[in-house]
């Protein structure tokens, strides 16, 4: 009897332990399932706002800078509309590198502010879920966008920027005139903005230029006027058929008259300098570092250009990291106090973006003028935002949790 009682007691303890283990497993599964649902819920909202932010900020940059550049290239350099559009598309990855950090901040602030206004953060706190746990999917998203931004800047931007440059050089050398265009004029200015050459084409049909007149003021002592019945554009320049060239003095006296059956004149090579000059976006981080090191002792490698490239070298690493820093500062600022019942997300986003770009512009300018080191010039905006964000985040998380 005593043995049977001990056996039953042992079986009872085993059943009790088994029930506790099953209860713990069910609780753990529920906890992880709830955490997974929370992560998916937050990520869904942040991704939706992020996509909207990319569209908005990319459109703003296009409207303010790229569209103006497009019009300038079409009117001043004679770049065809389809090539100019292609150049803009090729420059899109470079724009995305700038808009990803801003859009991540915008998505973070708007999402957290919405959770706060709907009292969802209050409910989560009541369930024992703190700010650090709520912010986990946001930080994961920010890290993912940091990596994506870096990869785009390293592998896609150099290739597309180089291709856009080649298109611009080809178009500038060819001096394309849009087919079907009548009474087409094209101005070419020097570095000081003064008129250098004036081109006039009465009509362009089937890629043939009809009744061409060129006023060449590149020589300060003489003026040349070229007239031709027909012509075409090529990568070697403008090819004129059956024309005449007048050389005049500055007072209007005819110095020379030359008739020609066929002549090739290369215009616009001065403008190519602005397209073929070395820029940081044509290289990834390691190739740009090698380029700077290779040209360090080159006498034609200007000190100013060297400093600019060094600053942009470190900025290739700092700019993607800005994505995480902006998310860090955005979370605490987006948590609304209990008595505030309006959405402050967009206002805070604009304010943070403004402060960041003021610090960035000031810092990069100091780096390019040797006031601070190129490394510090690139990383100072990120460090400043990250330090401010960490202080605010720590205080907010400690106060709430």
């Amino acid at each position: 009897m005593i043995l049977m009682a001990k056996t039953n007691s042992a079986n009872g303890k085993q059943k009790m332990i088994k029930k506790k283990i099953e209860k713990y497993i069910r609780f753990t599964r529920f906890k992880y399932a709830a955490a997974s649902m929370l992560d998916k819920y937050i990520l869904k909202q942040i991704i939706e706002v992020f996509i909207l932010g990319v569209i908005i900020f990319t459109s703003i940059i296009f409207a303010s800078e790229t569209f103006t550049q497009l019009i300038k290239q079409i009117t001043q350099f004679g770049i065809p509309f389809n090539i100019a559009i292609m150049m803009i598309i090729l420059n899109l990855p470079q724009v995305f590198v700038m808009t990803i950090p801003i859009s991540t901040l915008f998505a973070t602030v708007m999402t957290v502010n919405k959770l706060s206004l709907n009292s969802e953060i209050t409910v989560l706190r009541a369930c024992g879920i703190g700010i650090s746990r709520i912010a986990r999917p946001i930080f994961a998203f920010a890290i993912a966008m940091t990596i994506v931004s870096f990869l785009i800047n390293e592998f896609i931007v150099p290739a597309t920027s180089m291709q856009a440059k080649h298109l611009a050089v080809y178009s500038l050398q060819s001096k394309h005139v849009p087919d079907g265009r009548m009474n087409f004029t094209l101005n070419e200015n020097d570095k000081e903005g003064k008129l250098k050459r004036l081109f006039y084409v009465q009509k362009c049909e089937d890629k043939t230029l009809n009744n061409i007149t060129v006023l060449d003021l590149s020589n300060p002592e003489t003026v040349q006027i070229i007239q031709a019945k027909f012509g075409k554009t090529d990568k070697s320049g403008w090819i004129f058929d059956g024309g005449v060239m007048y050389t005049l003095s500055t007072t209007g006296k005819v110095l020379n008259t030359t008739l020609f059956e066929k002549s090739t004149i290369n215009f616009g090579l001065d403008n190519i300098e602005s397209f073929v000059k070395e820029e940081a976006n044509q290289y990834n981080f390691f190739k740009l570092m090698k380029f700077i090191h290779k040209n360090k002792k080159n006498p034609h490698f200007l000190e100013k250009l060297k400093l600019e490239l060094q600053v942009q070298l470190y900025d290739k690493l700092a700019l993607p990291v800005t994505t995480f820093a902006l998310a860090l500062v955005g979370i605490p600022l987006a948590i609304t106090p209990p008595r505030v019942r309006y959405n402050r997300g967009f206002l805070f986003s604009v304010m943070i973006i403004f402060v960041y770009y003021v610090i960035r512009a000031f810092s990069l300018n100091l780096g390019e003028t040797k006031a601070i080191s190129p490394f510090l010039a690139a990383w100072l905006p990120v460090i400043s935002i990250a330090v401010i964000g960490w202080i605010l985040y720590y205080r907010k998380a400690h106060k709430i949790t």
Side-chain angles (χ1 to χ4, degrees):
M1 292 292 292
I2 296 173
L3 182 62
M4 289 180 62
K6 287 183 178 180
T7 304
N8 292 334
S9 177
N11 291 336
K13 287 182 179 179
Q14 288 179 357
K15 289 180 180 180
M16 187 179 296
I17 294 171
K18 186 177 180 182
K19 285 182 179 179
K20 287 183 178 180
I21 292 173
E22 289 176 352
K23 185 177 180 181
Y24 177 76
I25 291 173
R26 285 197 300 269
F27 175 76
T28 304
R29 287 177 178 175
F30 174 77
K31 183 180 177 181
Y32 280 112
S36 178
M37 289 177 63
L38 175 64
D39 292 343
K40 289 178 181 178
Y41 177 70
I42 294 176
L43 282 174
K44 181 183 177 182
Q45 293 190 61
I46 202 169
I47 290 172
E48 289 175 355
V49 183
F50 173 79
I51 295 172
L52 178 64
V54 169
I55 295 172
I56 291 173
F57 293 114
T58 302
S59 301
I60 291 173
I61 293 175
F62 265 61
S64 60
E65 295 180 9
T66 314
F67 184 74
T68 304
Q69 185 180 4
L70 167 64
I71 298 300
K72 181 180 178 182
Q73 289 169 347
I74 292 175
T75 57
Q76 185 175 352
F77 299 138
I79 294 179
F81 184 78
N82 59 337
I83 292 182
I85 291 294
M86 183 60 67
M87 288 170 60
I88 288 179
I89 294 174
L90 290 171
N91 283 320
L92 266 177
Q94 188 175 352
V95 177
F96 287 150
V97 172
M98 297 296 296
T99 57
I100 284 175
I102 304 172
S103 302
T104 302
L105 168 66
F106 180 69
T108 299
V109 173
M110 295 296 289
T111 301
V112 175
N113 200 209
K114 182 181 176 183
L115 292 173
S116 181
L117 286 174
N118 293 340
S119 300
E120 292 173 278
I121 290 181
T122 305
V123 174
L124 291 171
R125 284 173 52 205
C127 296
I129 301 174
I131 295 299
S132 298
R133 181 61 188 86
I134 297 171
R136 192 180 298 176
I138 298 175
F139 286 143
F141 179 79
I143 292 172
M145 288 302 102
T146 299
I147 296 172
V148 169
S149 178
F150 176 77
L151 293 176
I152 292 174
N153 204 24
E154 279 295 288
F155 299 105
I156 299 178
V157 170
T160 55
S161 297
M162 189 66 71
Q163 188 62 37
K165 186 186 76 169
H166 289 162
L167 278 175
V169 171
Y170 168 76
S171 184
L172 185 60
Q173 286 178 325
S174 301
K175 285 287 184 187
H176 287 289
V177 179
D179 201 37
R181 184 75 177 270
M182 297 184 65
N183 298 321
F184 178 82
T185 58
L186 178 66
N187 298 334
E188 183 181 344
N189 300 324
D190 59 16
K191 295 179 180 179
E192 298 177 356
K194 296 180 180 179
L195 181 64
K196 189 174 182 180
R197 295 185 183 95
L198 175 66
F199 303 84
Y200 171 78
V201 179
Q202 186 184 43
K203 186 178 181 181
C204 179
E205 189 174 10
D206 296 329
K207 297 183 179 181
T208 300
L209 310 179
N210 297 277
N211 295 328
I212 311 155
T213 301
V214 180
L215 176 64
D216 190 351
L217 305 174
S218 58
N219 191 333
E221 298 179 357
T222 60
V223 176
Q224 282 191 331
I225 299 176
I226 304 170
Q227 290 182 323
K229 293 181 179 180
F230 305 103
K232 63 180 181 178
T233 59
D234 188 76
K235 63 181 181 180
S236 59
W238 285 44
I239 302 174
F240 297 132
D241 293 325
V244 59
M245 180 185 297
Y246 302 99
T247 304
L248 311 176
S249 66
T250 53
T251 58
K253 183 179 178 181
V254 178
L255 301 178
N256 187 23
T257 302
T258 305
L259 298 174
F260 58 84
E261 289 293 328
K262 193 169 186 178
S263 178
T264 301
I265 302 176
N266 198 348
F267 295 126
L269 291 179
D270 295 337
N271 287 327
I272 292 180
E273 294 178 3
S274 62
F275 290 103
V276 299
K277 67 179 182 180
E278 301 296 341
E279 294 181 353
N281 58 12
Q282 299 169 15
Y283 303 94
N284 60 28
F285 179 82
F286 296 104
K287 287 186 178 179
L288 180 59
M289 187 165 55
K290 288 180 181 178
F291 175 78
I292 295 172
H293 182 74
K294 180 181 177 182
N295 291 275
K296 229 172 195 178
K297 298 180 180 180
N298 188 346
H300 300 290
F301 194 59
L302 301 177
E303 186 68 22
K304 183 179 179 182
L305 177 61
K306 174 186 166 186
L307 281 172
E308 288 179 0
L309 292 178
Q310 283 180 332
V311 171
Q312 293 179 51
L313 171 68
Y314 296 115
D315 192 51
K316 283 182 173 291
L317 298 177
L319 186 58
V321 178
T322 304
T323 305
F324 185 83
L326 289 175
L328 181 63
V329 76
I331 292 172
L333 288 177
I335 299 176
T336 307
R339 283 179 284 183
V340 177
R341 306 309 302 170
Y342 61 91
N343 195 322
R344 307 185 303 177
F346 184 76
L347 178 63
F348 276 135
S349 298
V350 174
M351 182 186 71
I352 297 168
I353 291 168
F354 175 77
V355 171
Y356 167 72
Y357 275 106
V358 168
I359 298 174
R360 176 180 168 82
F362 181 70
S363 177
L364 294 181
N365 186 59
L366 288 177
E368 292 174 1
T369 55
K370 278 187 170 183
I372 58 177
S373 68
F375 178 85
L376 184 60
W379 281 94
L380 183 61
V382 185
I383 295 172
S384 302
I385 294 294
V387 169
I388 294 171
W390 174 251
I391 293 171
L392 293 174
Y393 177 80
Y394 178 80
R395 288 181 177 178
K396 186 70 71 171
H398 179 74
K399 178 181 177 183
I400 293 179
T401 57

